[in-house]
Amino acid sequence: MLNPLLKLTKRTEYGLIALLHLVDREGEIVSVREVGDRYPVPRRLLAETLKDLGRAGIVESQRGAGGGYWLARPAEAITLGEIVAALEGAPSLTSCQDLGAARTDGECDVQEVCPIRSPLTRLRQGIWALLEGTTLRSLANTSLHPTALFSSAQAVVAPLGPAGQGEDPAA
Amino acid sequence: MLNPLLKLTKRTEYGLIALLHLVDREGEIVSVREVGDRYPVPRRLLAETLKDLGRAGIVESQRGAGGGYWLARPAEAITLGEIVAALEGAPSLTSCQDLGAARTDGECDVQEVCPIRSPLTRLRQGIWALLEGTTLRSLANTSLHPTALFSSAQAVVAPLGPAGQGEDPAA
DNA sequence: GGGATTGAGCACCAATTGGGTGCTATTTGG
DNA sequence: CCAAATAGCACCCAATTGGTGCTCAATCCC
């Protein structure tokens, strides 16, 4: 059994495949059929996924014969984080906190004494920053390198403490 | 429904809680009962989790009355990645590749035409590097800062392309 | 030595989640 | 009017995860 920590759901996988295809056909209208013919993916799920992306404003669509999907924005203005959020919802690393949302019902069952909440929250933000710093364009163009990726992630996690101080990285 | 992308299983959550408690009591023997009394967590699952951590060589244990668990190594020599790997298995970002393992059966159903495999693999490695760069000590001591975290992650993802070249990080 | 305490090892059940499909309505082009 | 194609549900099935029962083995204390 392999770790789901970094797992993407099939929906997101299929969504990425579709989106990358849309990047390839930027400026044109692409039907679900076309994408489904190209990749051995359940056509129906692909359709569901594109509907979700449409509702999220990442793609636009036109119904009827000759209809299909296209990117709502240029590929460099669409981030991986946005895509994942659209297809899987907002991120949460531990189950005991959703940044104030849905606090009405169950609440964190580890409550006040939960010692992992704070540090993991920061880590989650760092990871999320990585996703936000990766654009659909950079995914499409493998030769491009997500350099800005780290500067943004660093900006999020760095405030943890003063840089290059006591801790020994060589340990 | 919130995104499982960064989700940790309850096992890992409980494991982290237990480990942080062990850090707090470094040098002493801590029983499952003690941890279970401190945090509102299913004592039994906590026990299962500690067993797993023991099998992974992260903690050591002693049976019998007065027995319990303690860290097998200093907290700065235990990484979050290691913990997660022990409790959830090795990481995989997309389902279509597990680094060569389990290639006998299903194989990647998107096969050769899978366009997301390469870029996401690299992203996964970057995220994993973040986890590997975070020590249990840094989690325990919130004031400590995971600075080395980014240098290691950068080392993994940077090879994507020549460093500090064409791309504009300020974009 | 005997009993209480505590971890080890399995097997197993129950609840949630995710993958996937059926069906119908609506829009659009020919 | 018919065919193509998206929109919107509702639903089922398989897989994973959360959680528990039971038994055995080691250790301490009396």
Side-chain angles (χ1 to χ4, degrees), chain B residues 37-51:
Chain B
D37 282 343
R38 179 90 73 194
Y39 309 98
V41 162
R43 209 170 288 185
R44 188 60 191 289
L45 257 191
L46 212 55
E48 287 307 313
T49 301
L50 280 167
K51 289 182 200 173

Side-chain angles (χ1 to χ4, degrees), chain B residues 60-73:
Chain B
E60 293 179 345
S61 61
Q62 176 157 5
R63 296 206 268 191
Y69 295 91
W70 62 91
L71 296 180
R73 280 164 283 153

Side-chain angles (χ1 to χ4, degrees), chain A residues 22-36:
Chain A
L22 290 187
V23 171
D24 209 49
R25 294 244 182 288
E26 220 164 358
E28 305 175 47
I29 295 187
V30 180
S31 68
V32 171
R33 169 183 298 267
E34 176 180 330
V35 181

Side-chain angles (χ1 to χ4, degrees), chain A residues 1-10 12-14 16-17 20-21 38-42 80 84-85 88-98 101-102 109-111 113-116 118-120 122-128 130-131 134 138-140 142-158 160-167 169 171, chain B residues 1-10 12-14 16-17 20 38-42 76-77 80 84-85 88-98 101 109-111 113-116 118-120 122-128 130-131 134-135 137-140 142-150 153-155 157-158 160-170:
Chain A
M1 178 48 40
L2 290 181
N3 169 8
L5 172 69
L6 313 177
K7 186 179 81 173
L8 295 179
T9 62
K10 293 287 181 186
T12 303
E13 276 187 49
Y14 299 158
L16 283 172
I17 290 175
L20 290 173
H21 191 73
R38 179 89 74 194
Y39 309 98
V41 163
L80 181 56
V84 170
E88 311 194 14
S92 72
L93 190 51
T94 69
S95 65
C96 60
Q97 42 89 291
D98 299 327
D109 55 344
V110 197
Q111 297 168 344
V113 289
C114 176
I116 67 175
S118 167
L120 286 188
R122 246 177 286 111
L123 186 68
R124 170 178 61 79
Q125 289 173 334
I127 296 178
W128 192 247
L130 257 74
L131 297 184
T134 303
S138 69
L139 282 180
T142 305
S143 64
L144 289 183
H145 48 97
T147 308
L149 187 154
F150 284 100
S151 51
S152 59
Q154 201 162 16
V156 171
V157 186
L160 275 177
Q165 193 186 287
E167 197 158 8
Chain B
M1 176 48 40
L2 290 182
N3 169 9
L5 172 70
L6 312 177
K7 185 179 84 173
L8 296 179
T9 61
K10 292 287 182 185
T12 304
E13 275 188 49
Y14 299 158
L16 284 172
I17 290 176
L20 289 173
R38 179 90 73 194
Y39 309 98
V41 162
E76 49 274 355
L80 182 54
V84 170
E88 310 194 15
S92 72
L93 190 51
T94 70
S95 66
C96 60
Q97 42 87 295
D98 298 327
D109 55 343
V110 197
Q111 298 167 345
V113 290
C114 175
I116 67 176
S118 168
L120 286 189
R122 247 176 287 111
L123 187 68
R124 170 178 62 78
Q125 290 173 334
I127 295 178
W128 191 248
L130 256 73
L131 297 185
T134 303
T135 69
R137 175 78 65 201
S138 69
L139 283 181
T142 307
S143 65
L144 290 184
H145 48 96
T147 309
L149 188 155
F150 283 101
Q154 201 160 15
V157 185
L160 276 176
Q165 192 185 287
E167 195 156 5
D168 184 359

